[in-house]
Amino acid sequence: MSAGKVSIDGRVVDGGEARVSVFDRGFLYGDSVFEVFRTYGGVPFAQREHLERLERSADRLMIPMPVSLETLSSEVGATLDAAGEGEWYVRVVITRGTGPLTYDPSTATEPLRVIIAAPVSVPPADQYERGIAVTLLHASRPTDDERASGAKASNYLANLLAVYEAKQKGAQEALVLGRQGQILEGASSNLFIVKDGKVRTPEAQPGILIGITRATVLTAAGAEGIEVEEAEVTPESLYGADEAFITSSIREVMPVVRADGRTIGSGAPGPVTKRLHRGYLRAVAEATGVGV
Ligand code: PDD
């Protein structure tokens, strides 16, 4: 499999040759922020929104942006040009850079920027046709803490351990519970439920990444005249929903048909979920000029 192309501080290299310092704080402590998006027909979708969120994440964690968003955009373009034909997973990472081996963030002054363009691997078609299973669990992530909430910080240890637990239980995603037992979001997704034709997703709060796919789906729902609300979603409301789905830049709109072993609705992807996935893909086609 092609390792794609990587831009490091603006210099593009083959993925297999890409190196950063072992003294980089992103490597040592996860002291970095990141964004993930993908191309359709080679054209990145919602790149501007992702880079603006990256800038907010960096600001939240006091990491100075090393270049303007315009320069970063052109560096993404150069990396994709070098990658050539194909559909690409794009990961943009800004680390706080290298410095002495201390935890004090003020000791690193030169942030590092890395742009990875790797072949995108999308979920298998049968997951969209049959839906996936989720498991609910508690997990405290760095972004649950006020100091980092709202930032898409690279430290995903709690998220990846949650995914490991989900897989052990035969599920494909973990849904993280908040302190009051409410559902926050997935390990790398946002959650939606559908009840009596109305769509609900957890409202913005510490511990939730306000996804760009979530925002696009909310807009699509409005365009379709589907009532939406951003409000608390409890495990019981998920179990008792007519439909459920998760959203992320790579999974788009993924139907959820089982939660903690309980069947949701008919046990098959629901009509509103499918309608919103079509609406999402229309938004992608409009933005990228690429019919999907
Ligand atoms: N993550 N919540 C979390 C914790 C996420 O990591 C992601 C996406 C989302 C959905 O965000 P968006 O719709 O902007 O992709 C929500 C990316 C896909 C990742 O970590 O790979």
Side-chain angles (χ1 to χ4, degrees):
M1 180 180 91
S2 142
K5 293 288 183 185
V6 176
S7 167
I8 302 174
D9 280 349
R11 203 167 64 80
V12 179
V13 297
D14 284 341
E17 309 303 314
R19 303 282 183 276
V20 295
S21 164
V22 296
F23 297 103
D24 186 276
R25 296 175 63 96
F27 169 73
L28 290 171
Y29 319 126
D31 187 3
S32 60
V33 292
F34 79 105
E35 280 293 328
V36 169
F37 49 97
R38 60 157 289 181
T39 65
Y40 290 86
V43 178
F45 174 60
Q47 176 175 307
R48 183 78 200 169
E49 291 83 350
H50 280 280
L51 294 184
E52 284 172 351
R53 187 171 65 184
L54 181 72
E55 189 173 49
R56 293 196 297 273
S57 296
D59 182 51
R60 190 88 182 81
L61 298 188
M62 309 85 68
I63 298 176
M65 285 297 280
V67 292
S68 69
L69 289 194
E70 288 65 34
T71 300
L72 204 50
S73 290
S74 60
E75 290 179 355
V76 171
T79 313
L80 288 173
D81 289 347
E85 281 297 299
E87 286 303 11
W88 302 100
Y89 161 108
V90 181
R91 192 180 190 100
V92 185
V93 184
I94 307 279
T95 86
R96 202 182 301 274
T98 58
L101 287 168
T102 70
Y103 294 124
D104 176 357
S106 65
T107 58
T109 57
E110 300 289 322
L112 174 83
R113 63 194 187 278
V114 172
I115 300 166
I116 297 168
V120 69
S121 67
V122 293
D126 78 287
Q127 286 191 357
Y128 291 100
E129 285 148 22
R130 293 166 48 195
I132 64 167
V134 298
T135 189
L136 280 59
L137 48 74
H138 285 281
S140 55
R141 300 150 309 152
T143 47
D144 295 331
D145 175 277
E146 276 306 317
R147 293 178 192 78
S149 72
K152 193 169 171 56
S154 298
N155 184 328
Y156 264 45
L157 180 61
N159 308 56
L160 61 92
L161 292 177
V163 170
Y164 177 79
E165 184 173 323
K167 298 273 179 172
Q168 294 287 92
K169 294 177 178 172
Q172 285 75 44
E173 174 66 311
L175 296 184
V176 178
L177 298 170
R179 291 195 181 88
Q180 283 75 39
Q182 81 279 28
I183 299 175
L184 294 171
E185 61 177 352
S188 66
S189 61
N190 290 113
L191 172 73
F192 287 75
I193 62 170
V194 183
K195 185 72 177 173
D196 304 328
K198 194 189 311 187
V199 171
R200 190 194 314 169
T201 191
E203 76 274 28
Q205 58 193 287
I208 286 191
L209 180 75
I210 301 305
I212 285 155
T213 315
R214 171 185 184 274
T216 308
V217 166
L218 286 172
T219 303
E224 299 259 334
I226 298 171
E227 206 182 328
V228 296
E229 61 173 346
E230 295 179 61
E232 181 177 72
V233 177
T234 61
E236 293 65 33
S237 52
L238 171 60
Y239 301 144
D242 299 325
E243 303 178 38
F245 58 90
I246 55 171
T247 61
S248 83
S249 299
I250 302 302
R251 279 169 293 202
E252 300 173 346
V253 175
M254 175 59 78
V256 171
V257 296
R258 265 184 319 289
D260 289 342
R262 304 181 202 200
T263 302
I264 294 173
S266 69
V272 175
T273 302
K274 291 180 192 166
R275 237 172 105 192
L276 289 175
H277 196 177
R278 288 194 298 273
Y280 179 78
L281 293 175
R282 270 197 299 280
V284 168
E286 275 157 37
T288 60
V290 177
V292 281

